[in-house]
Amino acid sequence: MHSRYNIHILNHNYNPKPLLREITDQIHKNQAEIRVVVWDDGSDAVCQHQLVVLQKEFARSPVTWVTGVENVGRARMRQNILDFDQEGWIVCLDSDMVPDEDFVEQMVALLVDPAQVYLGQHYYQVEIPFEPFRLHWYYGKKREVRGNENLRRHFSTGIFALHSSLTPRLSFDQHLTGYGHEDTLFGLQLENLAIPVKRIPLKAQHDGLDPFGKFLEKQYEAVHNLQYLQKAFPGYRNGLIKWGRRFRSIPGLSTWIGREAFRAFCIQKLERNPERLFYLDLWKLSIYLSEERSGEGRTQGLEKRG
């Protein structure tokens, strides 16, 4: 018996209890056939224990679990979701999202065209969080929550939905094992296949803010993955690529900006004023322009901050 709506929750080192409580409460109030699958991507021992407790708490709910021993990365896990035995609608959520009270109602009402991919909308808390989490919060509110871009060129996998009839044509590039741009590549694939993408008010609050050092580590991984993306799609352009080309055209400037000392300067500025995302842009530009490829030294010590 296949469910008409399959809600997949991707998890790594996070406790998805708030999401599960909200989504199962909504499912119990709805007449649609809905199942929930939690995919854990090799979380650490602490999180694994939390998941065992949750499995007991939600034993009588429509939640099933797929837990992995090894951390294989977001692209591989999302591909596993596409390959899952299912029919009907596939709705994907990151585990640090807490759905709005009408999430299931909107899902049932708005997912209507099997030939189309749908993008949900996430937002951030109104109150300024504690200091270690402010850089991620400012970045999320100022850079992620915009909604007026080319949806396929700025695809986000935080909340999205598609019909199972599309999955034979789609895949996530599993060459990317770290954080960042696996969603960009998926969106470019949708563009090449001329599959339309529509934004709908399927909303959730993003609660999983990373502390300062962890956030920068993920940003570094995203810049590193951008190098692979450019090889796969030579015509792709974003702000970082465009500014990188401009700076490379000025003799000596790209070398100066690409220095480790310049990156350290940017980090100091961000620690004092995390709302000054200009310095985050410069830090990423420095990494992009650097001739180093191993990343050694660029994130050294970041884990000690926040």
Side-chain angles (χ1 to χ4, degrees):
M1 184 71 177
H2 293 283
S3 300
R4 177 168 170 74
Y5 298 92
N6 308 272
I7 300 176
H8 295 277
I9 299 167
L10 181 54
N11 185 68
H12 177 67
N13 287 344
Y14 197 80
N15 187 339
K17 184 174 182 176
L19 189 162
L20 291 176
R21 278 192 169 179
E22 180 60 41
I23 205 74
T24 53
D25 284 348
Q26 294 185 34
I27 289 173
H28 290 147
K29 299 173 185 176
N30 198 284
Q31 298 300 314
E33 187 181 355
I34 304 169
R35 70 173 171 181
V36 179
V37 185
V38 178
W39 299 77
D40 184 66
D41 185 17
S43 291
D44 60 27
V46 174
C47 185
Q48 289 285 355
H49 175 72
Q50 293 172 341
L51 294 180
V52 170
V53 174
L54 286 179
Q55 289 182 46
K56 294 178 181 178
E57 180 177 342
F58 291 92
R60 297 184 178 180
S61 72
V63 180
T64 58
W65 307 78
V66 181
T67 56
V69 177
E70 180 185 359
N71 176 223
V72 298
R74 289 152 56 112
R76 175 82 65 83
M77 293 300 291
R78 296 199 190 284
Q79 184 59 47
N80 290 342
I81 291 172
L82 293 187
D83 294 339
F84 194 63
D85 181 24
Q86 58 199 321
E87 291 181 357
W89 289 100
I90 301 168
V91 181
C92 296
L93 280 139
D94 286 343
S95 63
D96 55 4
M97 302 284 185
V98 179
D100 280 8
E101 294 180 353
D102 64 346
F103 188 92
V104 169
E105 180 183 349
Q106 295 283 6
M107 177 186 76
V108 173
L110 298 176
L111 301 184
V112 293
D113 185 357
Q116 191 160 244
V117 172
Y118 294 91
L119 266 182
Q121 306 173 41
H122 71 271
Y123 58 92
Y124 289 81
Q125 64 189 65
V126 176
E127 305 82 6
I128 298 178
F130 293 117
E131 185 174 352
F133 305 100
R134 288 180 182 174
L135 178 59
H136 190 176
W137 184 76
Y138 281 117
Y139 180 84
K141 290 181 73 68
K142 293 183 178 182
R143 296 291 172 80
E144 290 183 359
V145 186
R146 291 179 292 186
N148 57 351
E149 313 98 334
N150 179 321
L151 296 182
R152 288 183 293 202
R153 289 261 163 168
H154 298 85
F155 196 85
S156 171
T157 52
I159 310 172
F160 75 102
L162 71 160
H163 197 267
S164 60
S165 58
L166 285 177
T167 57
R169 304 173 60 192
L170 300 172
S171 63
F172 282 90
D173 193 321
Q174 297 173 53
H175 289 92
L176 299 182
T177 57
Y179 174 90
H181 289 301
E182 74 284 342
D183 47 2
T184 309
L185 282 168
F186 190 76
L188 292 173
Q189 181 183 177
L190 295 174
E191 185 174 79
N192 283 351
L193 294 172
I195 296 176
V197 177
K198 181 180 180 180
R199 190 180 295 281
I200 57 175
L202 204 60
K203 297 182 179 180
Q205 179 170 294
H206 184 191
D207 282 357
L209 296 176
D210 287 319
F212 187 90
K214 186 66 175 178
F215 177 77
L216 288 184
E217 287 177 11
K218 289 184 176 180
Q219 291 297 308
Y220 165 70
E221 289 182 1
V223 176
H224 179 75
N225 284 347
L226 185 61
Q227 306 288 340
Y228 174 79
L229 188 154
Q230 285 185 268
K231 293 177 182 178
F233 290 88
Y236 175 75
R237 297 289 182 272
N238 67 359
L240 188 56
I241 295 173
K242 292 176 182 177
W243 279 107
R245 289 194 165 195
R246 292 176 185 177
F247 276 77
R248 281 200 182 100
S249 66
I250 304 175
L253 183 58
S254 62
T255 302
W256 182 75
I257 290 179
R259 295 167 58 216
E260 179 67 32
F262 183 80
R263 292 192 284 275
F265 165 78
C266 293
I267 289 176
Q268 290 176 357
K269 290 291 187 181
L270 285 170
E271 287 180 316
R272 294 172 186 167
N273 299 289
E275 72 277 12
R276 298 290 301 278
L277 297 180
F278 170 72
Y279 290 104
L280 177 63
D281 295 336
L282 289 177
W283 181 79
K284 291 165 67 174
L285 181 62
S286 176
I287 294 171
Y288 182 76
L289 291 173
S290 176
E291 294 180 354
E292 301 175 9
R293 288 295 177 263
S294 67
E296 185 176 349
R298 294 178 199 158
T299 57
Q300 183 177 1
L302 293 181
E303 68 281 357
K304 298 178 182 180
R305 296 177 168 93

